[in-house]
Amino acid sequence: MYKLDQIDLDILAALQADGRTTNVALAKLVGLSPTPCLERVKSLEANGLIKGYAAQLSAPALGLGLTVFVQIGLERTSQSVFDAFRNAVQAIDEIQECHMVAGGYDYLLKVRVPDMAAYRHFLGAVLSGVPGIRETHTYPVMEEVKDSSALTLAHLVQKA
């Protein structure tokens, strides 16, 4: 595991809050000069702690007003079924997230579509074509209470 110090944590927190922060502003924020700050950022990237940078888009403003969570039960739990399912899901744009889970079903999907009619079409024309699905359970989101991709860094702070 990559050894993080407080400056690394401050850099990660600042970039997580605003990935467009300039290196000069970031350096000032964390108490470094620009060159060492940039070297730190490059090291964090090279070591896989920073996966990339992206704009956070507004799904409702872009016409994707319905979020649906879908529980997926597979017909059988074999590696070939898991692989076929994972490969198929990768190619479906409406699926924003896919997680293999333990419990009463095999996968949990987060799907974004314009409305319920679009979801009905997605379910019948797209998801039904994914190999290995035995059953689905649909949970439309009525209200989004919290939406964050930020990771907590508090557990990484060194205790004095």
Side-chain angles (χ1 to χ4, degrees):
M1 185 170 142
Y2 186 80
K3 180 91 169 136
L4 297 170
D5 64 15
Q6 189 59 51
I7 292 174
D8 291 326
L9 293 172
D10 292 345
I11 289 171
L12 291 172
L15 288 175
Q16 184 169 243
D18 181 5
R20 292 181 60 160
T21 300
T22 66
N23 184 58
V24 171
L26 181 62
K28 187 174 185 177
L29 187 67
V30 301
L32 292 176
S33 61
T35 300
C37 183
L38 183 60
E39 289 171 1
R40 293 266 192 139
V41 170
K42 288 183 183 288
S43 177
L44 292 167
E45 291 169 347
N47 284 284
L49 281 89
I50 298 173
K51 291 181 7 178
Y53 302 87
Q56 292 180 325
L57 306 181
S58 169
L62 293 166
L64 297 170
L66 179 63
T67 303
V68 180
F69 288 93
V70 185
Q71 293 177 343
I72 303 290
L74 297 179
E75 57 192 20
R76 61 185 198 286
T77 53
S78 69
Q79 194 59 50
S80 63
V81 173
F82 290 147
D83 291 344
F85 178 82
R86 278 196 295 263
N87 289 337
V89 164
Q90 293 296 325
I92 301 172
D93 292 335
E94 293 90 346
I95 298 174
Q96 197 170 19
E97 297 178 25
C98 175
H99 304 274
M100 181 185 232
V101 296
Y105 53 96
D106 300 302
Y107 288 92
L108 180 65
L109 307 180
K110 180 179 179 183
V111 176
R112 291 214 191 238
V113 291
D115 53 32
M116 191 55 77
Y119 178 70
R120 172 64 186 97
H121 176 265
F122 168 81
L123 189 61
V126 179
L127 202 55
S128 67
V130 173
I133 294 178
R134 174 180 38 88
E135 66 180 332
T136 65
H137 294 275
T138 297
Y139 301 92
V141 173
M142 294 172 37
E143 177 185 10
E144 187 174 270
V145 176
K146 180 179 180 180
D147 179 24
S148 174
S149 61
L151 299 176
T152 182
L153 302 174
H155 69 287
L156 298 172
V157 177
Q158 297 293 330
K159 307 287 190 260

